[in-house]
Structures are given as C-alpha cells and as structure tokens.
Amino acid sequence: MILLHELQVLRIKLFEIAEARGSLTDPEVIAISEAADEVIVTLQQLHKEEQAKYNTRCALAVDGKTESAAAHTLAAEGLQAAPFRD
C-alpha cells in the first residue's frame, strides 16, 4: 500500500511539473518519471512473487501433500482447489 501511495504521489507531481514546465523532456520531469518507473517495477516484482506463492499453494492443495493446510489457506482467500485430473 505504501508503494501504491508513493506511485500516486509521483504521478500527481509528474503531471504538475510537466504542466508547469510545458515540457515532457524537462530534466525534473524525466527524473520523476524514472522514479515512478522504479516503483512500478518494484510493484510488478512483488505481484509476480505473490502470484508464484499462490500458484504453489494451489498446486500443493491439488497434489494433496499439504491438503489440509493449503485448503485452509485457499478457503481463507475464498477459493477452492481445482480437482486433479489426468
């Protein structure tokens, strides 16, 4: 949530500075844009990691290795494991 807020602040600042300077190639506009890019990349990496964890939990639940723990985790997230099919 902190990163999303930071991105929103950078987005507003980017818009304001670009409008005030009248240029998207102003060095300060570019610096803010680059900072926003870094936050976006970090958010994408975090999302990718969370997706990988979720996929692992689902696979374990289907496989039955940690059926009760994984099923409990999925249930807490409001989901059900898909039945295993060959």
Side-chain angles (χ1 to χ4, degrees):
M1 292 303 259
I2 293 170
L3 288 175
L4 289 174
H5 177 72
E6 182 179 340
L7 182 59
Q8 184 66 12
V9 169
L10 287 169
R11 186 182 146 280
I12 292 167
K13 188 174 179 181
L14 179 64
F15 176 77
E16 291 172 350
I17 300 292
E19 190 172 281
R21 303 283 168 92
S23 172
L24 295 175
T25 58
D26 181 86
E28 189 172 357
V29 172
I30 291 172
I32 296 168
S33 179
E34 289 172 348
D37 288 345
E38 290 178 19
V39 173
I40 290 167
V41 168
T42 300
L43 285 167
Q44 289 174 334
Q45 289 171 337
L46 290 171
H47 177 75
K48 184 178 177 180
E49 290 170 9
E50 287 299 314
Q51 188 65 44
K53 289 178 188 176
Y54 172 79
N55 290 343
T56 299
R57 286 194 308 263
C58 287
L60 290 173
V62 170
D63 191 26
K65 290 183 180 175
T66 57
E67 186 173 340
S68 61
H72 177 70
T73 301
L74 290 171
E77 294 172 1
L79 304 169
Q80 291 181 335
F84 181 74
R85 296 184 182 137
D86 283 331

